[in-house]
Amino acid sequence: MSWEDNVRKVTPYTAGEQPKGRVIKLNTNENPYPPSPMVATRIYDLAQQELDGVTSMLRKYPDMDAVPLVDAIVRVYNEQYFPQGDGLTFDNVFAGVGSDDVLFTAFMTFFNSDKPIIFPDITYSFYDVWAQVHRFPYRMIPLKDDFSIDINDYLDTENGGIVIANPNAPTGEYLDPAELEKIVKANPDSVVIIDEAYIDFGGESCLPFIKKYDNVLIVQTFSKSRSLAGLRIGTAFGDEKLIRYLKDIKFSINSYTMNYPAIELATVAVLDTEYFNETVKRVIKTREWTKEKLKELGFIFGDSKTNFIFARHEKISGEEIFAKLRERQIYVRHWNKPRISEYLRISIGTDEDMKELIKALGEIVK
Ligand code: PMP
């Protein structure tokens, strides 16, 4: 017997590299544009106000409920998703330290069952890691050969919870909300988590479901469409009872997860809807340009509605292209895993980044 017998052992999630120096970084789905200029202005203002501003902010504990941020989210999301009224209230919203934190807490809260959690075999590779950390049984359901989800697999399968990324990652495949609604409806005794990390890049959110169903949690992030991966802000939306349960767990682990400056900065960012819309449009435009060029070079991929493209080449292996891009200081993501080892996940950078990428790929595949 050793203390090591009592260790909770797990193989951790492997994140994309964060290379130093001048590289073209298309490997972790960050937004290539800065966050709203209001964020920098707020940092500057706070730094100027010494005693009342930043120092007292750092001295005190932050607001446990992130009130200013949640209020701002309610306002902005109601304008976007519920313009006719009867939208979100404060009690429909949960905020955390990036959607990883939100999802982890949601797994712990809602998937506490002896039945397996179900999710696709190719999806965000944190889901199985979290299931292992919590020691929850799980079952990965194979995607179809074209990487689409067969929703019939989720309609009458016994489960202790369901998690689906929409659009899915790393495949980029998007499911229409009407399809996901069938899954939510067919599983009234499970919580269905819909991870919408990439929804702002062209998909339609399932957010309105929370007004109709008490078993669905919609999770979003400020890391992609709002260019704030470094700030760590994620959100969840659900029926009041669901959000209450989520908060009970959060407040039983660490009440003060988001720091005070992060709450302030995320608040000004979410209120700048004009900048948000403009940035998202720019990323989509560059994505569509990149798709055309990749097609010309012999790449094969589905119709991504995200800020990345999951593509393979008709002749050259994923591993080879990955290595040759890396030699040229261009970083994309490649997994040596069954079914997807021929693929590269290419995040959408600036127009200049993508021109460099296409130039390099042209040399590699010629
Ligand atoms: N869900 C999916 C599908 C993702 O790809 C990511 C980004 N790695 C996340 C959640 C987590 O993002 P964050 O914690 O930055 O909000």
Side-chain angles (χ1 to χ4, degrees), residues 66-350:
V67 172
L69 173 60
V70 173
D71 280 345
I73 290 172
V74 167
R75 222 168 91 196
V76 167
Y77 277 61
N78 278 343
E79 275 167 24
Q80 185 177 348
Y81 292 106
F82 302 96
Q84 70 289 26
D86 194 26
L88 303 173
T89 69
F90 187 89
D91 298 322
N92 294 126
V93 185
F94 178 88
V97 186
S99 54
D100 282 341
D101 174 50
V102 174
L103 287 161
F104 179 85
T105 313
F107 269 51
M108 189 182 240
T109 311
F110 302 118
F111 292 168
N112 199 25
S113 162
D114 296 333
K115 296 178 197 156
I117 311 165
I118 54 174
F119 48 88
D121 63 337
I122 304 169
T123 190
Y124 187 34
S125 45
F126 239 135
Y127 300 156
D128 57 326
V129 174
W130 289 322
Q132 287 167 36
V133 171
H134 291 305
R135 300 191 185 152
F136 296 150
Y138 64 95
R139 191 155 68 79
M140 306 211 253
I141 300 185
L143 293 176
K144 291 198 258 185
D145 286 344
D146 64 359
F147 293 156
S148 61
I149 290 175
D150 184 347
I151 66 148
N152 293 311
D153 292 339
Y154 296 82
L155 299 185
D156 57 7
T157 303
E158 222 194 16
N159 67 80
I162 299 176
V163 56
I164 292 184
N166 192 45
N168 197 6
T171 62
E173 287 291 321
Y174 168 73
L175 261 182
D176 199 76
E179 296 296 289
L180 284 164
E181 187 164 4
K182 290 180 196 161
I183 298 178
V184 174
K185 242 186 193 163
N187 291 280
D189 298 329
S190 303
V191 171
V192 180
I193 299 178
I194 303 177
D195 177 354
E196 295 191 335
Y198 300 100
I199 199 67
D200 294 327
F201 299 103
E204 189 188 335
S205 172
C206 292
L207 195 62
F209 290 3
I210 70 154
K211 289 278 153 186
K212 276 165 84 178
Y213 305 99
D214 67 358
N215 65 320
V216 62
L217 189 79
I218 311 294
V219 178
Q220 293 194 0
T221 177
F222 281 29
S223 298
K224 319 289 177 183
S225 52
R226 291 192 164 81
S227 308
L228 287 170
L231 200 64
R232 312 304 301 130
I233 301 287
T235 54
F237 303 90
D239 178 77
E240 288 178 14
K241 192 153 83 169
L242 221 57
I243 298 298
R244 185 69 258 156
Y245 279 127
L246 201 51
K247 285 188 177 177
D248 285 348
I249 291 295
K250 175 190 158 88
F251 294 154
S252 307
I253 304 171
N254 177 0
S255 317
Y256 305 113
T257 47
M258 279 161 297
N259 65 63
Y260 211 150
I263 294 170
E264 275 283 313
L265 300 179
T267 303
V268 297
V270 77
L271 291 171
D272 193 352
T273 50
E274 198 178 313
Y275 181 84
F276 165 78
N277 290 329
E278 205 180 286
T279 311
V280 163
K281 252 191 233 149
R282 269 170 97 175
V283 172
I284 292 174
K285 193 162 168 239
T286 310
R287 177 187 73 206
E288 295 308 309
W289 179 88
T290 310
K291 281 183 187 169
E292 273 175 36
K293 297 290 163 193
L294 287 176
K295 218 171 270 168
E296 286 168 23
L297 291 173
F299 282 89
I300 297 157
F301 47 88
D303 181 30
S304 164
K305 281 193 161 48
T306 62
N307 67 339
F308 58 86
I309 300 170
F310 195 56
R312 71 180 166 87
H313 192 260
E314 56 193 7
K315 294 203 188 87
I316 305 182
S317 82
E319 198 168 5
E320 181 179 338
I321 302 176
F322 172 76
K324 289 192 167 156
L325 283 174
R326 206 163 178 279
E327 279 167 18
R328 292 167 166 82
Q329 304 295 306
I330 300 177
Y331 287 72
V332 297
R333 196 88 200 264
H334 173 254
W335 287 269
N336 241 332
K337 281 190 180 173
R339 297 185 75 188
I340 58 170
S341 60
E342 290 309 321
Y343 283 80
L344 301 170
R345 191 197 65 189
I346 305 166
S347 308
I348 304 300
T350 61

Side-chain angles (χ1 to χ4, degrees), residues 347-365:
S347 308
I348 304 300
T350 61
D351 287 341
E352 293 69 38
D353 292 340
M354 300 326 269
K355 277 182 199 150
E356 292 268 346
L357 169 84
I358 294 296
K359 187 165 155 260
L361 288 175
E363 291 162 15
I364 294 167
V365 306

